[in-house]
Amino acid sequence: ATCSFLAATPRSACATSSSVSTSRFSATFDPVSNEVVIGSKGKAIATLKAQPVASGILYRSGGYVLRGKGDRVTFSRPDAAPLPCRAS
């Protein structure tokens, strides 16, 4: 599955699709609390805390991980394989 990720905005979206199903995720970044809220269908799935990295971004909590560098982002859930995304 692949997705597109709209970067550099307070509210971003990550849409995934495969031959079997289509899913949409949103990411709302809060620079004050250093957190990102991952949501789907208008409901929060997880709130991830920023982690220190030498370069790029890394947020994680409870088995959920959002990481990226440049125009590439990967979102992982505890029950699924990581989803590669491309910022646009």
Side-chain angles (χ1 to χ4, degrees):
T2 61
C3 64
S4 62
F5 189 85
L6 306 175
T9 60
R11 183 170 183 83
S12 300
C14 184
T16 67
S17 63
S18 69
S19 59
V20 178
S21 66
T22 299
S23 299
R24 293 183 93 50
F25 300 94
S26 65
T28 305
F29 294 88
D30 184 343
V32 175
S33 67
N34 286 324
E35 295 177 335
V36 61
V37 176
I38 304 296
S40 180
K41 299 179 184 175
K43 295 182 181 180
I45 296 172
T47 300
L48 314 181
K49 292 261 188 206
Q51 305 296 307
V53 292
S55 181
I57 63 165
L58 174 60
Y59 293 83
R60 74 171 63 198
S61 182
Y64 293 90
V65 178
L66 180 70
R67 68 174 67 232
K69 184 173 180 179
D71 68 348
R72 301 206 181 249
V73 178
T74 302
F75 175 62
S76 303
R77 300 181 319 202
D79 61 346
L83 300 170
C85 305
R86 183 178 294 271
S88 59

mmCIF file with all atom_site columns, all heavy atoms in Angstrom, residues 3 8 16-17 21 40-41 49 74 79:
data_model
loop_
_atom_site.group_PDB
_atom_site.id
_atom_site.type_symbol
_atom_site.label_atom_id
_atom_site.label_alt_id
_atom_site.label_comp_id
_atom_site.label_asym_id
_atom_site.label_entity_id
_atom_site.label_seq_id
_atom_site.pdbx_PDB_ins_code
_atom_site.Cartn_x
_atom_site.Cartn_y
_atom_site.Cartn_z
_atom_site.occupancy
_atom_site.B_iso_or_equiv
_atom_site.pdbx_formal_charge
_atom_site.auth_seq_id
_atom_site.auth_comp_id
_atom_site.auth_asym_id
_atom_site.auth_atom_id
_atom_site.pdbx_PDB_model_num
ATOM 1  N N   . CYS A 1 3  ? 0.752   5.774  0.092  1.00 0.00 ? 3  CYS A N   1
ATOM 2  C CA  . CYS A 1 3  ? -0.102  6.889  0.474  1.00 0.00 ? 3  CYS A CA  1
ATOM 3  C C   . CYS A 1 3  ? 0.577   8.191  0.149  1.00 0.00 ? 3  CYS A C   1
ATOM 4  O O   . CYS A 1 3  ? 1.769   8.241  -0.119 1.00 0.00 ? 3  CYS A O   1
ATOM 5  C CB  . CYS A 1 3  ? -0.461  6.828  1.946  1.00 0.00 ? 3  CYS A CB  1
ATOM 6  S SG  . CYS A 1 3  ? 0.929   6.984  3.056  1.00 0.00 ? 3  CYS A SG  1
ATOM 7  N N   . ALA A 1 8  ? 4.142   19.916 6.207  1.00 0.00 ? 8  ALA A N   1
ATOM 8  C CA  . ALA A 1 8  ? 4.350   21.333 6.496  1.00 0.00 ? 8  ALA A CA  1
ATOM 9  C C   . ALA A 1 8  ? 3.051   22.091 6.715  1.00 0.00 ? 8  ALA A C   1
ATOM 10 O O   . ALA A 1 8  ? 2.952   23.268 6.429  1.00 0.00 ? 8  ALA A O   1
ATOM 11 C CB  . ALA A 1 8  ? 5.179   21.985 5.405  1.00 0.00 ? 8  ALA A CB  1
ATOM 12 N N   . THR A 1 16 ? -4.104  5.839  2.199  1.00 0.00 ? 16 THR A N   1
ATOM 13 C CA  . THR A 1 16 ? -3.488  4.601  1.736  1.00 0.00 ? 16 THR A CA  1
ATOM 14 C C   . THR A 1 16 ? -4.462  3.871  0.828  1.00 0.00 ? 16 THR A C   1
ATOM 15 O O   . THR A 1 16 ? -5.670  3.967  0.987  1.00 0.00 ? 16 THR A O   1
ATOM 16 C CB  . THR A 1 16 ? -3.113  3.685  2.911  1.00 0.00 ? 16 THR A CB  1
ATOM 17 O OG1 . THR A 1 16 ? -4.303  3.236  3.534  1.00 0.00 ? 16 THR A OG1 1
ATOM 18 C CG2 . THR A 1 16 ? -2.235  4.407  3.904  1.00 0.00 ? 16 THR A CG2 1
ATOM 19 N N   . SER A 1 17 ? -3.924  3.128  -0.114 1.00 0.00 ? 17 SER A N   1
ATOM 20 C CA  . SER A 1 17 ? -4.796  2.327  -0.968 1.00 0.00 ? 17 SER A CA  1
ATOM 21 C C   . SER A 1 17 ? -4.063  1.072  -1.411 1.00 0.00 ? 17 SER A C   1
ATOM 22 O O   . SER A 1 17 ? -2.851  1.054  -1.550 1.00 0.00 ? 17 SER A O   1
ATOM 23 C CB  . SER A 1 17 ? -5.252  3.127  -2.180 1.00 0.00 ? 17 SER A CB  1
ATOM 24 O OG  . SER A 1 17 ? -4.152  3.474  -2.974 1.00 0.00 ? 17 SER A OG  1
ATOM 25 N N   . SER A 1 21 ? -8.336  -2.599 -0.210 1.00 0.00 ? 21 SER A N   1
ATOM 26 C CA  . SER A 1 21 ? -9.084  -1.589 0.530  1.00 0.00 ? 21 SER A CA  1
ATOM 27 C C   . SER A 1 21 ? -8.416  -0.229 0.423  1.00 0.00 ? 21 SER A C   1
ATOM 28 O O   . SER A 1 21 ? -7.283  -0.115 -0.009 1.00 0.00 ? 21 SER A O   1
ATOM 29 C CB  . SER A 1 21 ? -9.189  -1.998 2.003  1.00 0.00 ? 21 SER A CB  1
ATOM 30 O OG  . SER A 1 21 ? -7.913  -1.980 2.596  1.00 0.00 ? 21 SER A OG  1
ATOM 31 N N   . SER A 1 40 ? -8.734  8.983  11.938 1.00 0.00 ? 40 SER A N   1
ATOM 32 C CA  . SER A 1 40 ? -9.358  8.358  10.781 1.00 0.00 ? 40 SER A CA  1
ATOM 33 C C   . SER A 1 40 ? -10.862 8.483  10.932 1.00 0.00 ? 40 SER A C   1
ATOM 34 O O   . SER A 1 40 ? -11.399 8.247  12.023 1.00 0.00 ? 40 SER A O   1
ATOM 35 C CB  . SER A 1 40 ? -8.961  6.883  10.693 1.00 0.00 ? 40 SER A CB  1
ATOM 36 O OG  . SER A 1 40 ? -9.563  6.271  9.571  1.00 0.00 ? 40 SER A OG  1
ATOM 37 N N   . LYS A 1 41 ? -11.531 8.882  9.868  1.00 0.00 ? 41 LYS A N   1
ATOM 38 C CA  . LYS A 1 41 ? -12.985 9.029  9.861  1.00 0.00 ? 41 LYS A CA  1
ATOM 39 C C   . LYS A 1 41 ? -13.466 9.948  10.976 1.00 0.00 ? 41 LYS A C   1
ATOM 40 O O   . LYS A 1 41 ? -14.479 9.696  11.626 1.00 0.00 ? 41 LYS A O   1
ATOM 41 C CB  . LYS A 1 41 ? -13.659 7.668  9.946  1.00 0.00 ? 41 LYS A CB  1
ATOM 42 C CG  . LYS A 1 41 ? -13.322 6.763  8.789  1.00 0.00 ? 41 LYS A CG  1
ATOM 43 C CD  . LYS A 1 41 ? -13.981 5.425  8.897  1.00 0.00 ? 41 LYS A CD  1
ATOM 44 C CE  . LYS A 1 41 ? -13.523 4.541  7.745  1.00 0.00 ? 41 LYS A CE  1
ATOM 45 N NZ  . LYS A 1 41 ? -14.034 3.191  7.844  1.00 0.00 ? 41 LYS A NZ  1
ATOM 46 N N   . LYS A 1 49 ? 3.955   11.018 20.779 1.00 0.00 ? 49 LYS A N   1
ATOM 47 C CA  . LYS A 1 49 ? 4.911   11.978 21.321 1.00 0.00 ? 49 LYS A CA  1
ATOM 48 C C   . LYS A 1 49 ? 6.146   12.056 20.435 1.00 0.00 ? 49 LYS A C   1
ATOM 49 O O   . LYS A 1 49 ? 6.628   11.039 19.938 1.00 0.00 ? 49 LYS A O   1
ATOM 50 C CB  . LYS A 1 49 ? 5.360   11.538 22.721 1.00 0.00 ? 49 LYS A CB  1
ATOM 51 C CG  . LYS A 1 49 ? 4.284   11.617 23.754 1.00 0.00 ? 49 LYS A CG  1
ATOM 52 C CD  . LYS A 1 49 ? 4.476   12.876 24.502 1.00 0.00 ? 49 LYS A CD  1
ATOM 53 C CE  . LYS A 1 49 ? 3.548   12.936 25.696 1.00 0.00 ? 49 LYS A CE  1
ATOM 54 N NZ  . LYS A 1 49 ? 3.290   14.301 26.049 1.00 0.00 ? 49 LYS A NZ  1
ATOM 55 N N   . THR A 1 74 ? 6.617   7.309  6.952  1.00 0.00 ? 74 THR A N   1
ATOM 56 C CA  . THR A 1 74 ? 6.105   5.968  7.196  1.00 0.00 ? 74 THR A CA  1
ATOM 57 C C   . THR A 1 74 ? 5.223   5.999  8.433  1.00 0.00 ? 74 THR A C   1
ATOM 58 O O   . THR A 1 74 ? 5.606   6.552  9.461  1.00 0.00 ? 74 THR A O   1
ATOM 59 C CB  . THR A 1 74 ? 7.258   4.960  7.416  1.00 0.00 ? 74 THR A CB  1
ATOM 60 O OG1 . THR A 1 74 ? 8.100   4.963  6.275  1.00 0.00 ? 74 THR A OG1 1
ATOM 61 C CG2 . THR A 1 74 ? 6.728   3.557  7.633  1.00 0.00 ? 74 THR A CG2 1
ATOM 62 N N   . ASP A 1 79 ? -1.061  -3.325 14.597 1.00 0.00 ? 79 ASP A N   1
ATOM 63 C CA  . ASP A 1 79 ? -1.692  -4.487 13.987 1.00 0.00 ? 79 ASP A CA  1
ATOM 64 C C   . ASP A 1 79 ? -1.499  -4.576 12.471 1.00 0.00 ? 79 ASP A C   1
ATOM 65 O O   . ASP A 1 79 ? -2.182  -5.350 11.807 1.00 0.00 ? 79 ASP A O   1
ATOM 66 C CB  . ASP A 1 79 ? -3.186  -4.482 14.302 1.00 0.00 ? 79 ASP A CB  1
ATOM 67 C CG  . ASP A 1 79 ? -3.879  -3.230 13.753 1.00 0.00 ? 79 ASP A CG  1
ATOM 68 O OD1 . ASP A 1 79 ? -3.185  -2.270 13.376 1.00 0.00 ? 79 ASP A OD1 1
ATOM 69 O OD2 . ASP A 1 79 ? -5.120  -3.228 13.721 1.00 0.00 ? 79 ASP A OD2 1
#
